[in-house]
Amino acid sequence: LQQGKYKEAVAELQAVLRQRPKDPGVLNNLAWALGELKDPRAREYAEAAFGLDNQDPAILDTLGWLLTQGGQVARGVEMLERAVSLDPSVPQIRYHLAQAYQQSGNLNGARRELERLVADPRFAAKAEAKKRLAELL
């Protein structure tokens, strides 16, 4: 996953899932990899992970982001807000929330999150966040 080899990750995660079918982390990672491949099964796996652990910020982020990308922006925002409330220190979750806010029309929320990200030295996609923020100003 970290190397962006999503097809390979899917194959490996499916093998692990056969041994551990109720592992929310495996389901979540599989959902993420499938989402990166634009595979429609991604949301099914994300929902399954959420059903097993609805308090894990990574799971909430994956589901929220997939929902947002799939046009269910209101529910996506809800999931992403919960993820941020559970772990506000993860910049990538905040970035997904900023994008979801923008899609939902909450431009003040999007600006607020993007301003935090631009100031966060840990956030890797700072240039992209600055560009989005400039578009909102």
Side-chain angles (χ1 to χ4, degrees):
L1 287 176
Q2 291 178 354
Q3 295 174 4
K5 297 179 180 179
Y6 301 113
K7 285 183 183 180
E8 293 89 342
V10 166
E12 287 185 32
L13 288 163
Q14 286 175 327
V16 172
L17 192 60
R18 283 190 287 278
Q19 296 173 0
R20 299 185 343 224
K22 299 281 187 191
D23 186 319
V26 174
L27 288 162
N28 184 62
N29 288 339
L30 181 55
W32 185 261
L34 289 168
E36 291 298 301
L37 295 171
K38 307 295 184 220
D39 187 310
R41 297 173 298 165
R43 187 163 152 223
E44 173 187 333
Y45 287 105
E47 292 280 7
F50 178 74
L52 293 168
D53 185 351
N54 64 9
Q55 297 299 312
D56 183 319
I59 291 171
L60 290 162
D61 175 47
T62 299
L63 180 56
W65 186 235
L66 289 170
L67 288 165
T68 299
Q69 290 180 312
Q72 293 186 0
V73 180
R75 186 166 177 235
V77 166
E78 177 188 325
M79 296 292 160
L80 292 164
E81 286 176 337
R82 283 180 57 195
V84 168
S85 74
L86 290 167
D87 190 352
S89 70
V90 181
Q92 193 59 39
I93 297 174
R94 286 190 172 280
Y95 191 50
H96 289 157
L97 178 58
Q99 291 176 78
Y101 276 155
Q102 188 173 2
Q103 285 186 39
S104 74
N106 181 351
L107 302 184
N108 288 332
R111 262 192 298 277
R112 182 180 61 245
E113 292 301 328
L114 290 168
E115 287 169 351
R116 284 184 181 139
L117 290 166
V118 167
D120 187 338
R122 300 168 300 143
F123 186 55
K126 213 174 277 232
E128 189 177 322
K130 283 181 182 179
K131 181 181 173 188
R132 282 186 176 274
L133 184 57
E135 292 169 0
L136 293 177
L137 296 177

